[in-house]
Amino acid sequence: MAKENISTDQLISVIINGIEDVKGDKINILDLREIENTVCDYFIICEGTSNTQVNAIVNSIQKKVSKELKDNPWHTEGVDNAEWVLIDYVNVVVHVFQKHIREYYDIESLWGDAKTTVIENSY
């Protein structure tokens, strides 16, 4: 669970770096704080091209957060099929999709009221 001394901004930054380290694509940050009855403050959504890359993104995020912030996810789901993996850091929930699954569920549209920040790839 997130420790009190870790800021949400720090966590988001480390997660983004973890995604970019293994060339995760189309990174969006959805700010859910202004929306009532949400389960967390932020969604970070990204995609990989295959099961292998989705797993690499998930592993990269978890290793970076663990090493740099000494934090582990509260819950992780979907690793077995690696089409849509959810990593729950309580205030920040990361969704790592394969492209076709992301297009099918289109969760950005479901949370259309959220303020969205698109992260341009640094590679």
Side-chain angles (χ1 to χ4, degrees):
M1 216 180 261
K3 297 183 178 44
E4 293 301 317
N5 58 350
I6 298 172
S7 80
T8 301
D9 290 342
Q10 283 178 300
L11 179 59
I12 290 171
S13 179
V14 172
I15 290 169
I16 299 299
N17 290 336
I19 295 167
E20 290 178 332
D21 280 356
V22 289
K23 304 214 183 315
D25 203 15
K26 296 188 173 66
I27 305 167
N28 289 342
I29 302 170
L30 277 59
D31 184 342
L32 307 172
R33 293 175 297 176
E34 300 294 319
I35 301 172
E36 288 186 37
N37 302 320
T38 57
V39 295
C40 63
D41 291 340
Y42 295 93
F43 278 168
I44 299 177
I45 303 167
C46 69
E47 64 187 52
T49 57
S50 65
N51 299 43
T52 304
Q53 189 183 21
V54 166
N55 280 326
I57 293 167
V58 170
N59 290 335
S60 178
I61 292 167
Q62 290 180 332
K63 282 179 185 168
K64 260 197 163 347
V65 171
S66 177
K67 183 178 180 183
E68 295 182 25
L69 302 177
K70 309 287 188 260
D71 196 11
N72 294 310
W74 178 69
H75 185 74
T76 304
E77 205 166 299
V79 176
D80 291 340
N81 64 6
E83 290 183 341
W84 176 2
V85 178
L86 182 142
I87 312 168
D88 187 348
Y89 285 101
V90 184
N91 287 339
V92 179
V93 175
V94 185
H95 299 269
V96 184
F97 286 99
Q98 285 190 39
K99 182 178 177 159
H100 67 285
I101 301 295
R102 183 178 186 173
E103 289 170 354
Y104 179 80
Y105 286 102
D106 193 18
I107 64 173
E108 284 99 336
S109 289
L110 293 175
W111 295 94
D113 293 346
K115 179 181 174 224
T116 302
T117 304
V118 177
I119 305 297
E120 298 299 325
N121 293 340
S122 61
Y123 49 88

